[in-house]
Amino acid sequence: MSTTVRVFLVDDHEIVRRGVADLIGAATDIEVVGEAGTVAQARTRIRATRPDVVLLDVRLPDGNGIDICRDLHSSNPRIRCLILTAYDDDDAIYAAVIAGASGYIQKDVRSSSLVDSIRRVADGHTLIDSQYRDRVVERLRSPSLGDPRLATLSTRERAVLTLVADGLTNREIGERLSLAEKTVKNYVSGVLSKLGLQHRTQAAALHWESKIATQPPKAMR
């Protein structure tokens, strides 16, 4: 990632884009490199501007931001996607996590929190608020005692997965486990391959789901 975080804005309301751009513009380490109001515009302009982070609205005139997120993770996983929306929608939250979004926040967030979220997402963190995470877990839960795919992971791979689910970057995981960052990257790739997943956020969701599913029920009082 470059010293200056390059951000692309996708929202069908120009006044929203202008407001967000003004907020971001106050930060010396963040630069808005492009804007789009539709899915078609975004797909063309994002390729041309090569941002580090894309801020995406969920609902757009010709589609939705989650589809853009999914496409970007397939074609250029280096780009991090942060969903910025006015809608508190369970289906959208679930779809965003499965699509590989690095974060999901609402437009009433404080300006300082938005800028900090952009920095953290650009640095490789996953920012899914606990209230949203719990909803996703609830959607993913099944009566089974954990996902059988997790049994294929080695002890080290399980440790790496747990730290991924906690939102740590490869560098931070390496520091925690005394491993080289490249080694951690290889472990993460191996975990995703064994689980049949493409994105870290999907692996994190699977970890949360399994952790809750295997917890014993609370005693009645």
Side-chain angles (χ1 to χ4, degrees):
M1 186 188 73
S2 60
T3 302
T4 300
V5 180
R6 296 167 57 83
V7 177
F8 192 99
L9 307 178
V10 182
D11 194 292
D12 59 334
H13 294 97
E14 183 178 358
I15 191 170
V16 173
R17 298 199 306 271
R18 291 292 86 224
V20 173
D22 289 344
L23 290 175
I24 294 174
T28 58
D29 59 335
I30 301 176
E31 174 189 8
V32 176
V33 297
E35 301 178 14
T38 67
V39 172
Q41 290 174 353
R43 284 172 172 158
T44 301
R45 296 174 185 177
I46 289 172
R47 285 196 298 269
T49 54
R50 301 174 64 83
D52 299 305
V53 176
V54 178
L55 262 65
L56 294 160
D57 192 9
V58 173
R59 302 182 184 181
L60 298 167
D62 58 342
N64 62 74
I66 293 172
D67 287 339
I68 297 174
C69 176
R70 185 180 298 106
D71 291 346
L72 285 175
H73 274 285
S74 297
S75 61
N76 194 341
R78 179 191 66 80
I79 298 175
R80 311 282 287 179
C81 294
L82 180 59
I83 305 297
L84 180 63
T85 181
Y87 300 102
D88 184 10
D89 184 290
D90 284 0
D91 289 338
I93 296 165
Y94 177 82
V97 170
I98 298 304
S102 297
Y104 190 104
I105 55 179
Q106 289 190 269
K107 287 179 179 175
D108 59 1
V109 66
R110 291 182 178 178
S111 58
S112 59
S113 296
L114 175 60
V115 170
D116 183 61
S117 295
I118 292 171
R119 292 189 182 114
R120 288 175 58 78
V121 164
D123 200 34
H125 291 273
T126 298
L127 305 178
I128 303 294
D129 188 273
S130 61
Q131 64 171 319
Y132 299 144
R133 181 191 66 192
D134 292 344
R135 296 181 194 179
V136 172
V137 168
E138 200 63 34
R139 284 282 296 269
L140 291 172
R141 288 184 69 174
S142 67
S144 62
L145 296 179
D147 193 297
R149 289 174 292 178
L150 295 175
T152 66
L153 302 182
S154 67
T155 301
R156 178 67 79 181
E157 287 171 335
R158 282 177 173 269
V160 169
L161 174 59
T162 298
L163 296 177
V164 166
D166 286 340
L168 274 66
T169 64
N170 288 350
R171 183 179 67 254
E172 291 168 335
I173 293 173
E175 292 172 354
R176 186 76 61 88
L177 299 180
S178 299
L179 297 172
E181 186 173 350
K182 184 177 180 181
T183 301
V184 174
K185 182 178 180 181
N186 291 336
Y187 270 119
V188 173
S189 296
V191 168
L192 294 177
S193 177
K194 286 186 177 182
L195 297 179
L197 304 174
Q198 292 183 310
H199 312 305
R200 296 168 73 100
T201 324
Q202 294 172 315
L206 180 63
H207 170 83
W208 294 325
E209 177 265 333
S210 179
K211 185 174 181 179
I212 288 182
T214 54
Q215 287 179 347
K218 294 181 180 179
M220 297 289 291
R221 295 192 176 191

